[in-house]
Amino acid sequence: MTCGRQNQRRAGLALAAAALLLAGCGQSAETKGADGAKDGAKGGAAAGASASPSASASAKASVAPLGPGEVRVGGEVAKPYSVTLADLRKLPQASVEVRFTSAKGEQRHTYQGVPLHDVLKTAEPRFDAARKNGQLRGFVSATGGGDYRAVFAWAGIDPGFAKSQLLLAVCEDGVAFDDAAGPRLVVPQDTKGGRYVSELNQLWVGVVDPMVDGAK
């Protein structure tokens, strides 16, 4: 009887030990599965990160290169497009006499060209019409040769607010600009020539809201 009870106790202990062993193996498998899932997620994230620069490069490559003397009009506009000196010469012209100082001293010139506002209006800038004077939140970045750049508030371009018109000049003092050089941005109200952007190749329309609201 004693041996039988001892055998029963031993059998019970053996079954309990086996159960604990099986439970431990199950937890180990679950842990490995979780670790595998984490490794898979990390691998997916790494793959996504490595794919991102490639996608970015593809997006950049999809933008057609500019031709000689061509100006791209883009940014926050509904109809981005490009324009050349030949195109500008076909549009209604305006003339302005200017006087400003530069590194070469005092300058006096007569320019003929197309009002900048007319060129930008064709691209249909996307200003918030629901806001009072939503266009006053806009600005234009003008880029020229050598990556030279100047920025203008929309109010300084729109004839509804500004007294003088900025021009995309096609000639200076009666001498036409070379087609390959592109137009020159003329700013009649400026007393210095820093914002006279030569060899203009890009006009980019933007709004200040994303930058101002993001800084809060």
Side-chain angles (χ1 to χ4, degrees):
M1 292 291 292
T2 303
C3 291
R5 288 178 181 174
Q6 288 180 349
N7 289 337
Q8 288 178 356
R9 289 178 63 187
R10 287 173 182 172
L13 290 172
L15 288 172
L20 289 172
L21 181 61
L22 290 172
C25 291
Q27 288 179 351
S28 177
E30 289 177 359
T31 302
K32 288 180 180 179
D35 290 343
K38 289 179 181 178
D39 291 342
K42 289 179 180 178
S50 62
S52 179
S54 176
S56 177
S58 297
K60 290 181 179 179
S62 65
V63 178
L66 289 170
E70 189 175 12
V71 181
R72 179 176 290 131
V73 184
E76 291 295 328
V77 298
K79 297 180 179 179
Y81 74 108
S82 61
V83 64
T84 64
L85 267 177
D87 298 326
L88 292 173
R89 291 191 184 101
K90 298 174 184 177
L91 299 176
Q93 304 286 300
S95 181
V96 62
E97 294 182 2
V98 299
R99 177 181 176 182
F100 60 90
T101 58
S102 72
K104 298 179 180 179
E106 184 176 273
Q107 304 287 315
R108 292 173 181 263
H109 298 289
T110 299
Y111 289 102
Q112 182 179 322
V114 180
L116 173 61
H117 184 259
D118 291 352
V119 174
L120 297 173
K121 187 171 62 175
T122 300
E124 297 183 9
R126 294 185 296 199
F127 298 134
D128 191 349
R131 295 182 181 273
K132 182 178 180 181
N133 288 328
Q135 70 271 36
L136 297 185
R137 298 166 180 256
F139 65 89
V140 175
S141 170
T143 305
D147 200 32
Y148 189 86
R149 184 168 292 159
V151 177
F152 303 82
W154 185 262
I157 297 170
D158 191 333
F161 294 93
K163 289 184 177 180
S164 61
Q165 293 188 93
L166 279 68
L167 291 184
L168 291 191
V170 299
C171 68
E172 178 187 75
D173 300 327
V175 179
F177 291 127
D178 184 72
D179 284 352
R184 185 181 194 191
L185 181 57
V186 174
V187 193
Q189 69 267 30
D190 283 9
T191 58
K192 291 189 176 181
R195 296 199 299 174
Y196 280 61
V197 182
S198 299
E199 298 180 10
L200 186 71
N201 56 60
Q202 184 187 60
L203 292 167
W204 193 90
V205 180
V207 292
V208 299
D209 297 278
M211 291 174 283
V212 175
D213 295 340
K216 291 180 179 178

